[in-house]
Amino acid sequence: MKTLFAHRGMSALAPENTLAAFALCRQYGIQWIECDVDILADGTVVVSHDDTLDRCTDQSGNLAELTKADLSEIDAGSWFHDDFIGEPIPTFEQLITLVNQHELNINVEIKSCSAGWAMTDKLIANVITALAQLDTGRELIVSSFNHLALAEFKRRRPQTSVACLFEAASLGDDWESVMQACGADYIHPEDQNLTQAMVARFKSAGYKINVYTVNDLARANQLFNWGVDGVFTDIAHRFPSKYKLRGK
């Protein structure tokens, strides 16, 4: 069974990384979601791709300067459409509650945390604390471009499957050493410049492969035919029903 990951939720239909975007997944038969987590000044873990507010909210500034109390003043939906005016930046705990309620599986990307290692360390610790609330029936992958942070997460929570994210430009000859250092089960390469030969090398080394971000159905089909296990996509609702949950 090939896996579709709703990249930042159903991000073509609702504002990315919001509860509204994640809540749409079951309606469209999508079982796996991908989200990004970062940390506020008070240690609150939030779901956000960017470390600033500028692109996806009605405000500007850095997440590292905010506290949980500030979230109620931030609109993370109106930039997308008037239907989502007032949609908040969710906390990671709120997302886990939704994941449990909707019986979703989750790929959590730990952001590199521009506030420095002390905050990255706290992000790892607080993500682990929050994950204790995840129902045992839910599947989980934790990924990161920050391979030092990913290795530290794996050290502290060895029971969780982890995935090394690689941009095309950073996927060098040392990829397998990085994977081994992180104790990774999955490699998550960028779609750009990915070849059939590269996929074959990853598979022959024993790794599962999920590719980001694939918004072309023909390309997704090609990747699956090459042996890729999953793709991250913004258009999960447009994929054929064979990739989705039956009866949903």
Side-chain angles (χ1 to χ4, degrees):
M1 179 65 183
K2 303 304 184 182
T3 303
L4 278 186
F5 295 84
H7 183 238
R8 308 178 195 171
M10 301 296 285
S11 53
L13 304 177
E16 66 177 60
N17 275 322
T18 62
L19 296 182
F22 297 120
L24 284 171
C25 290
R26 288 292 287 194
Q27 177 182 331
Y28 286 91
I30 307 303
Q31 191 167 15
W32 276 89
I33 64 170
E34 184 269 353
C35 71
D36 307 277
V37 292
D38 211 325
I39 193 165
L40 305 185
D42 63 355
T44 300
V45 179
V46 293
V47 182
S48 176
H49 176 271
D50 299 3
D51 59 7
T52 65
L53 298 171
D54 301 58
R55 185 175 63 89
C56 292
T57 80
D58 63 341
Q59 298 190 32
S60 62
N62 296 316
L63 291 182
E65 298 170 353
L66 303 175
T67 66
K68 187 176 182 179
D70 296 316
L71 295 180
S72 62
E73 304 299 321
I74 299 169
D75 179 341
S78 59
W79 68 271
F80 186 88
H81 193 276
D82 284 353
D83 289 348
F84 299 99
I85 290 173
E87 186 72 26
I89 296 174
T91 66
F92 188 42
E93 289 182 344
Q94 288 173 326
L95 178 59
I96 288 178
T97 297
L98 183 148
V99 164
N100 289 338
Q101 290 173 343
H102 290 239
E103 298 182 324
L104 299 171
N105 301 320
I106 184 170
N107 183 115
V108 180
E109 180 186 333
I110 295 177
K111 301 305 291 182
S112 288
C113 200
S114 59
W117 180 254
M119 290 302 287
T120 302
D121 186 78
K122 184 177 288 189
L123 174 59
I124 294 166
N126 292 358
V127 165
I128 290 172
T129 298
L131 286 174
Q133 303 304 313
L134 192 66
D135 287 350
T136 54
R138 312 277 41 89
E139 294 182 60
L140 170 68
I141 302 170
V142 170
S143 62
S144 189
F145 288 102
N146 185 332
H147 301 140
L148 291 173
L150 191 67
E152 179 61 18
F153 174 90
K154 182 68 172 181
R155 186 186 70 79
R156 298 188 200 179
R157 203 175 199 268
Q159 71 270 31
T160 297
S161 295
V162 303
C164 291
L165 279 158
F166 289 96
E167 294 179 331
S170 65
L171 187 51
D173 293 338
D174 63 346
W175 67 268
E176 192 167 8
S177 295
V178 173
M179 295 281 288
Q180 291 170 351
C182 291
D185 304 285
Y186 296 86
I187 185 167
H188 289 179
E190 184 178 8
D191 179 40
Q192 182 180 348
N193 298 330
L194 188 65
T195 66
Q196 188 172 8
M198 294 165 69
V199 170
R201 284 199 297 273
F202 302 151
K203 296 295 280 190
S204 66
Y207 296 110
K208 295 180 180 178
I209 309 165
N210 299 313
V211 181
Y212 76 94
T213 303
V214 185
N215 291 331
D216 180 271
L217 297 181
R219 174 59 169 172
N221 188 63
Q222 180 182 52
L223 290 169
F224 285 139
N225 286 334
W226 288 354
V228 162
D229 297 282
V231 298
F232 298 88
T233 182
D234 300 318
I235 57 167
H237 58 292
R238 291 180 50 199
F239 275 70
S241 58
K242 67 179 179 179
Y243 298 118
K244 301 179 182 180
L245 291 174
R246 298 184 184 213
K248 297 295 179 184

